[in-house]
Amino acid sequence: MALIVQKFGGTSVGTVERIENVADRIGLFRKHGDDIVVVVSAMSGETNRLVKLAHSIDEKPEAREYDVLLSTGEQVTIALLSMALNKRGIKARSYTGTQVHILTDSTHNKARILSIEEKKMRTDLNEGRVIVVAGFQGVDEFGNITTLGRGGSDTTAVALAAALKADECQIYTDVDGVYTTDPRVVPEARRLDKITFEEMLEMASLGSKVLQIRAVEFAGKYNVPLRVLSSFDEPSFDDGDDAANGTLITYEEDEMEQALISGIAFNRDEAKLTILGVPDKPGVAYSILGPVGDSNVEIDMIIQNISADGTTDFTFTVHRNDFTQAKEVLRQVADELGAREVVGDDKIVKISLVGVGMRSHAGIASKMFKTLAEEGININMISTSEIKISVVVDEKYLELGVRTLHSAFGLEQN
Ligand code: ADP
Ligand code: ASP
Ligand code: MG
């Protein structure tokens, strides 16, 4: 008997039929003797529908009200799933984030979980109930509803698993695990039996939306055993490496077959800005990037050119949603600094190779650059760390770039 937190994403609860299937699956785990805490997302498409509704009233809706609206999607699913469970004679109770008391800070739209009350949940579990919790939402110290950022139900699940010291947190989705890259872009992508936390964290933060970054961070920090698997396959009750067991996110690097590259992540949400001809003197980076940061725009990659004539150029990337705002700020900075010009491009993407094997192998970057060159793909920016290499390229090369790199590094082979 184990205590398992199971999270079902949007597609897995996308229709009444799918919700009934999830209830059947939970029934099998109950029969097996496991205690189950379920976290659900809104039915697929619902959160996007709510976002559109909000924007039809106001382009920049008030953050507090936006959260009140967006959190309703998950409330529908918890009620429907609990009804489906109770109908099957499986005792279940639904809770919103506020009811189960997922306390967050007050940063609306991307709140951070501070604590979770486990006492009430323990009572339910001891009385043999399945607990069904709304993902993606919490409550701040003043009683305001908050949301955790898109994809946030993953984080709810991991946080609950940490609070309850669950034996495993299972993230059920529409693919049967973490792949070498998004299988929707490269159909030859291969499911990984295991991936290290470190690699998963890089993959998530470099754009692989299969898990929210914060969920991976949380799992690493609190040692939560985490698994990604498909809600469309039959459940498995033994520990094999087959598809039914999905992908385990693991600490045990030594156990892993040391692949050079574990995966390729990409991010379509990037935009780049360049300020040309700024004086090359101490403090210039701060006077450019300071105001951008102050306007709440997060900066990703940064490049400063060498100066030939006492002036230099600065290029950096931001989220595409922040492109217009960052450009406005940069124009003001350009006036103040007497810069020559501000240019920008929001049709760029970032492609990244990720792998702990990079630590011990040279030549990966040059192989990556050669592979892209052979396809005529121009690299705009490069950034590296111990276990990743990222390049920025034109948006039109995303699929070609990812596919060619996937094959050049032999990721489809077993
Ligand atoms: P859910 O609604 O269940 O949370 P998401 O759409 O958030 O599902 O995440 C699952 C999707 O993540 C998959 O359908 C897949 O297209 C995408 N994805 C991106 N990168 C990867 C990867 N490396 N491995 C598996 N899936 C990936
Ligand atoms: N429903 C939210 C979203 O679509 C949260 C989630 O699904 O994890 O982003
Ligand atoms: Mg998701």
Side-chain angles (χ1 to χ4, degrees), residues 266-272 317 320 344-351 372 375-381 391-402:
F266 55 84
N267 190 351
R268 303 177 200 262
D269 300 331
E270 302 251 337
K272 113 184 142 160
T317 62
R320 248 182 229 192
D345 185 355
D346 64 351
K347 302 261 177 307
I348 55 146
V349 291
K350 182 166 75 176
I351 302 178
L372 294 172
E375 292 297 331
I377 301 175
N378 189 43
I379 300 171
N380 294 326
M381 295 170 86
V391 294
V392 165
V393 299
D394 286 357
E395 182 182 72
K396 62 176 184 241
Y397 292 128
L398 174 78
E399 277 83 7
L400 178 64
V402 174

Side-chain angles (χ1 to χ4, degrees), residues 294-315:
D294 291 345
S295 71
N296 260 330
V297 171
E298 261 178 53
I299 295 160
D300 183 16
M301 289 161 89
I302 306 170
I303 289 181
Q304 181 186 349
N305 283 350
I306 51 155
S307 67
D309 57 356
T311 69
T312 185
D313 308 332
F314 240 90
T315 303

Side-chain angles (χ1 to χ4, degrees), residues 7 9-10 173-175 177-179 181-184 203 208-210:
K7 178 257 172 177
T173 182
D174 53 6
V175 282
V178 179
Y179 277 66
T181 194
D182 190 339
R184 286 180 212 285
M203 291 282 279
S208 295
K209 290 184 178 140
V210 60

Side-chain angles (χ1 to χ4, degrees), residues 7-11 39-48 50-51 70 73-74 135-137 147-156 212:
K7 178 257 172 177
F8 295 90
T11 334
V39 173
V40 283
S41 291
M43 294 166 79
S44 67
E46 179 61 9
T47 310
N48 287 343
L50 296 168
V51 168
L70 258 58
E74 272 70 11
F136 174 57
Q137 55 180 264
T147 63
L148 310 177
R150 298 303 304 267
S153 300
D154 296 339
T155 305
T156 307
Q212 204 200 29

Side-chain angles (χ1 to χ4, degrees), residues 133-208:
V133 181
F136 174 57
Q137 55 180 264
V139 63
D140 74 2
E141 59 174 320
F142 310 107
N144 299 302
I145 295 173
T146 54
T147 63
L148 310 177
R150 298 303 304 267
S153 300
D154 296 339
T155 305
T156 307
V158 176
L160 281 171
L164 292 164
K165 299 187 182 58
D167 295 292
E168 190 162 277
C169 180
Q170 302 178 339
I171 306 287
Y172 287 95
T173 182
D174 53 6
V175 282
D176 57 9
V178 179
Y179 277 66
T180 46
T181 194
D182 190 339
R184 286 180 212 285
V185 171
V186 183
E188 296 79 24
R190 180 169 50 91
R191 184 184 59 82
L192 301 163
D193 297 333
K194 288 181 183 170
I195 184 168
T196 66
F197 267 103
E198 212 183 355
E199 287 169 323
M200 193 61 241
L201 199 57
E202 284 287 357
M203 291 282 279
S205 60
L206 293 168
S208 295

